[in-house]
C-alpha cells in the first residue's frame, strides 16, 4: 500500500525541509506544488505565465490549475509507492480533490503532519529565507499576504483533517533534527 503523507503548516514552518528529509528516508518523492509552479515560471509555460504574478502577490494559484498539475505529477512512475505532499492541499477544495485522486486508486492519506510554529517566529524565518534564497515572492508585502491567505484559506484544513482522525501536530519550534525525529516516528507509525 503506497504511503501518502501531507505536510501542513504556515509558510516558513520548515515543512519543506522536513518533507525533503523524510522523502530521502522513505524513498518516495516530495511533491512541492510551490517548486512545481516555480519550475513552470522559469520554463515560461502557459501555467507559469498565469501563476507568476499571482505567486508574487502572495495569493493562491486557482485550485483547478494546481490540482491538474498535481494530478500529472502523481502519475509519474516515481510516485507509484507514495508521496509526501508539501504545500498541497492549501484549500478545502484542494483537500477534497486530493482525497478523490487517491481514492480513485484505492488509497488515501495516511497522516497529515501539522508543523506548528508560533506566528512571531514565522515572519522572521521567512524574511531571512528571502534574503538567503532571493525568492521573488518573499517581499515584506507578499509575506504578509501569504500569512493572511494561510490563516484564511489553509489553516481551517486542520479542523477538516482532525475530524478525519488524520491530524498529528508536531512542535516545529525546535531544531531541525529534533523535529525530524518526531516526523520520522509519526511516519513510521502511520505507514
Ligand atoms: P510555496 O513554495 O509552497 O510557499 O508556494 C509559493 C507560492 O506558490 C504560493 O504563495 C502560491 O502562490 C503558489 N502555490 C503553491 N502551492 C499552491 C497550492 N497548493 N495552491 C495554490 N497556490 C499554490
Amino acid at each position: 500500500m503506497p504511503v501518502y503523507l501531507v505536510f501542513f503548516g504556515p509558510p516558513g514552518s520548515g515543512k519543506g525541509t522536513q518533507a525533503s528529509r523524510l522523502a530521502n528516508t522513505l524513498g518516495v518523492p516530495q511533491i512541492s506544488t510551490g517548486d512545481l509552479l516555480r519550475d513552470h515560471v522559469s520554463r515560461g509555460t502557459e501555467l507559469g505565465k498565469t501563476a507568476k504574478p499571482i505567486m508574487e502577490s502572495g495569493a493562491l494559484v486557482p485550485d483547478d490549475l494546481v490540482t491538474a498539475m498535481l494530478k500529472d505529477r502523481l502519475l509519474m512512475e516515481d510516485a507509484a509507492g507514495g508521496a509526501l505532499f508539501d504545500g498541497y492541499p492549501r484549500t478545502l477544495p484542494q483537500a477534497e480533490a486530493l482525497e478523490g485522486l487517491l481514492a480513485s486508486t484505492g488509497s488515501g492519506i495516511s497522516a497529515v503532519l501539522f508543523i506548528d510554529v508560533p506566528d512571531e517566529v514565522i515572519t522572521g524565518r521567512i524574511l531571512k529565507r528571502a534574503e538567503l534564497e532571493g525568492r521573488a515572492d518573499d517581499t515584506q508585502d507578499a509575506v504578509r499576504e501569504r500569512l493572511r491567505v494561510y490563516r484564511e484559506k489553509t489553516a481551517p484544513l486542520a479542523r477538516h483533517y482532525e475530524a478525519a482522525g488524520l491530524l498529528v501536530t508536531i512542535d516545529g519550534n525546535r531544531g531541525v533534527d529534533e523535529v525530524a525525529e518526531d516526523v520520522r516516528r509519526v511516519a513510521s507509525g502511520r505507514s
Side-chain angles (χ1 to χ4, degrees):
M1 180 84 168
V3 54
Y4 295 106
L5 297 169
V6 170
F7 281 75
F8 168 67
S13 59
K15 62 186 186 305
T17 304
Q18 295 297 335
S20 156
R21 283 175 69 142
L22 187 66
N24 285 331
T25 310
L26 298 182
V28 297
Q30 167 196 14
I31 299 185
S32 155
T33 44
D35 284 351
L36 292 174
L37 286 167
R38 278 183 286 278
D39 185 51
H40 276 275
V41 171
S42 70
R43 287 188 287 122
T45 65
E46 281 307 309
L47 173 57
K49 285 181 201 149
T50 306
K52 188 170 189 270
I54 301 174
M55 293 169 75
E56 282 172 359
S57 75
L60 293 181
V61 176
D63 289 335
D64 54 341
L65 298 182
V66 182
T67 296
M69 178 183 76
L70 181 93
K71 186 177 174 190
D72 286 347
R73 179 65 187 86
L74 264 181
L75 288 172
M76 289 171 71
E77 222 174 276
D78 65 339
L84 307 184
F85 300 107
D86 165 17
Y88 186 99
R90 260 179 157 93
T91 64
L92 194 56
Q94 290 182 18
E96 287 163 353
L98 180 61
E99 280 147 39
L101 283 176
L102 299 181
S104 70
T105 62
S107 57
I109 296 167
S110 309
V112 175
L113 285 78
F114 173 49
I115 313 292
D116 190 18
V117 178
D119 281 4
E120 59 275 17
V121 178
I122 291 297
T123 316
R125 278 198 195 176
I126 313 181
L127 292 172
K128 197 165 154 208
R129 181 173 72 188
E131 256 173 60
L132 294 174
E133 296 178 7
R135 275 178 54 156
D137 61 347
D138 275 351
T139 61
Q140 291 249 13
D141 281 351
V143 165
R144 245 191 305 275
E145 179 61 7
R146 284 166 68 207
L147 277 170
R148 194 191 65 73
V149 169
Y150 169 78
R151 286 192 200 107
E152 183 186 313
K153 305 234 167 85
T154 309
L157 287 179
R159 279 198 300 278
H160 173 77
Y161 286 126
E162 187 153 41
L166 291 171
L167 193 76
V168 182
T169 301
I170 290 177
D171 175 8
N173 194 20
R174 296 174 296 161
V176 179
D177 291 337
E178 283 169 277
V179 179
E181 181 50 31
D182 269 10
V183 165
R184 199 196 50 71
R185 198 172 321 115
V186 170
S188 62
R190 292 283 189 133
S191 50

